[in-house]
Amino acid sequence: MKVDPVEHLFNELRTKVSGWNRKIVFPEATDSRILSAASRLANDDVLTPVLVGNMDEIQDRAQAMEISLEKMEIYDPGIYVGMDEMIQAFVERRKGKVTEGEATEILLDPNYFGTMLVYLDKAHGLVSGAAHSTADTVRPALQIIKMKEGVCKTSGAFLMAKGEDKYVFADCAINIAPDSRDLAEIAIESAKTARMFDIEPRVAMLSFSTKGSAVSEETEKVSDAAKIAREIDPDLVLDGELQFDAAFVPAVAQKKAPESAIRGNANIFVFPGLEAGNIGYKIAQRLGGYEAVGPILQGLNSPVNDLSRGCSEEDVYHLALITAMQSI
């Protein structure tokens, strides 16, 4: 039987992750989608799920779903024996912005508690968002894990997959109005994300203009971003500003940008702002029939990823694999 190419992609990712003994935190441990995906991940020996929440509630939910917790780790913030150490580490990390009393209350929140497990090297990454907003997931990561050296902002990329075709779209989730430096960082980090999926990066910095066909602050922002990105990584195949057709269609590229390094075969598309990025990936998903996997958060010291509240068990499973791969 022929294997679906998208499923084949995740089968390969599962093979890469297996054997690395990754531990991934799930702060929404009583959600049925989370528990089902965690059970599959544990039973497949892909990684160790780390469940955060009330111990009794997790056990009751698992029993009701006939799920074994044997291969998982469970942390209950209310009875965690290492809470004093965690509180001290959190206060120190927040550089005096919170008191010990405030930290005690904050760390009862499963997202903050789970993020601290990653920060304290008790786990390698975190997946949340099935029952929380993006802000609830991302805020603890920005406050605790923080950005990699040289990266100022996190960004959200989507793997867009259909048949044998794989592309990366960014930023489609986080930064409303990125400046040139932000766009350059998004391009560099998106190239790293693409390589996880065996995509050799060819980055197009998108605009409504191709190589000066229109001149405005918006187009100059994108062309400046392309220059900054090339300075950061001279070996990266990247160009901009480019309209989508000039980045994607070789015949159009020949007419509009014949000297471009992209030549109409880009596989990473960096949008000039969140409005364009979010609309763009949803058009590809809903009209084009592409599977949108993500958002994959980029630029953090340790991986934290955000699910949609409408996610499926399969989405949880896939994003956990991606998170584990980011940690390797």
Side-chain angles (χ1 to χ4, degrees):
M1 185 175 69
K2 186 176 181 180
V3 178
D4 175 78
V6 175
E7 192 57 39
H8 177 67
L9 183 155
F10 282 100
N11 286 341
E12 290 185 335
L13 204 59
R14 183 166 57 241
T15 300
K16 291 178 181 179
V17 169
S18 297
W20 281 88
N21 298 318
R22 300 289 93 172
K23 295 183 179 182
I24 302 300
V25 178
F26 296 96
E28 300 160 321
T30 56
D31 187 291
S32 59
R33 297 162 295 177
I34 299 293
L35 266 181
S36 294
S39 176
R40 286 175 55 195
L41 290 162
N43 290 332
D44 291 347
D45 291 322
V46 177
L47 54 84
T48 300
V50 178
L51 308 181
V52 174
N54 180 276
M55 181 76 72
D56 292 336
E57 291 178 2
I58 293 172
Q59 290 175 339
D60 288 347
R61 186 63 176 153
Q63 185 176 6
M65 295 176 64
E66 298 182 344
I67 286 175
S68 170
L69 300 173
E70 185 178 352
K71 294 184 178 181
M72 308 185 205
E73 295 181 5
I74 303 175
Y75 286 84
D76 184 338
I79 58 173
Y80 178 51
V81 295
M83 184 59 87
D84 288 344
E85 174 194 353
M86 183 178 284
I87 289 169
Q88 292 299 322
F90 182 69
V91 171
E92 181 179 342
R93 187 61 166 167
R94 298 293 289 130
K95 299 185 185 302
K97 294 180 181 178
V98 296
T99 64
E100 288 188 12
E102 290 169 336
T104 301
E105 291 298 317
I106 291 170
L107 290 174
L108 292 175
D109 180 295
N111 279 311
Y112 272 95
F113 183 92
T115 303
M116 281 300 295
L117 290 179
V118 177
Y119 175 66
L120 294 173
D121 294 326
K122 298 183 185 298
H124 302 95
L126 178 146
V127 173
S128 188
H132 291 88
S133 68
T134 295
D136 289 336
T137 301
V138 175
R139 188 183 299 111
L142 295 178
Q143 292 179 355
I144 299 168
I145 292 175
K146 301 187 180 183
M147 308 307 301
K148 295 176 184 174
E149 185 176 353
V151 179
C152 296
K153 295 179 180 179
T154 189
S155 56
F158 279 84
L159 171 69
M160 307 300 295
K162 180 182 177 183
E164 301 294 335
D165 297 330
K166 297 181 291 186
Y167 305 101
V168 172
F169 286 15
D171 178 1
C172 304
I174 303 295
N175 297 288
I176 295 175
D179 60 22
S180 296
R181 176 73 191 188
D182 296 335
L183 289 174
E185 287 183 358
I186 292 167
I188 300 298
E189 294 302 313
S190 296
K192 296 174 184 176
T193 296
R195 291 188 180 101
M196 286 198 311
F197 301 104
D198 296 323
I199 299 172
E200 187 56 37
R202 299 180 63 82
V203 185
M205 312 292 287
L206 297 179
S207 178
F208 59 83
S209 166
T210 296
K211 296 296 184 179
S213 62
V215 178
S216 70
E217 289 183 8
E218 291 82 2
T219 63
E220 289 176 351
K221 177 183 78 169
V222 177
S223 60
D224 288 346
K227 293 175 185 175
I228 295 170
R230 283 192 290 265
E231 290 172 0
I232 296 172
D233 187 352
D235 296 326
L236 181 62
V237 179
L238 175 148
D239 202 9
E241 86 280 11
L242 294 171
Q243 291 164 286
F244 185 83
D245 55 358
F248 190 68
V249 183
V252 176
Q254 183 60 36
K255 293 178 180 178
K256 290 187 174 182
E259 304 301 320
S260 173
I262 297 299
R263 297 187 180 87
N265 62 356
N267 49 30
I268 299 174
F269 300 95
V270 176
F271 292 85
L274 182 58
E275 188 170 44
N278 192 268
I279 292 169
Y281 101 80
K282 288 183 184 294
I283 288 175
Q285 179 186 34
R286 300 302 180 181
L287 290 183
Y290 278 79
E291 181 173 346
V293 180
I296 302 164
L297 300 188
Q298 306 177 140
L300 293 165
N301 278 312
S302 298
V304 169
N305 281 311
D306 178 40
L307 293 159
S308 163
R309 277 171 281 184
C311 68
S312 66
E313 174 193 326
E314 199 70 14
D315 294 331
V316 179
Y317 189 94
H318 286 168
L319 198 56
L321 289 177
I322 291 170
T323 306
M325 188 66 197
Q326 285 179 295
S327 75
I328 295 173

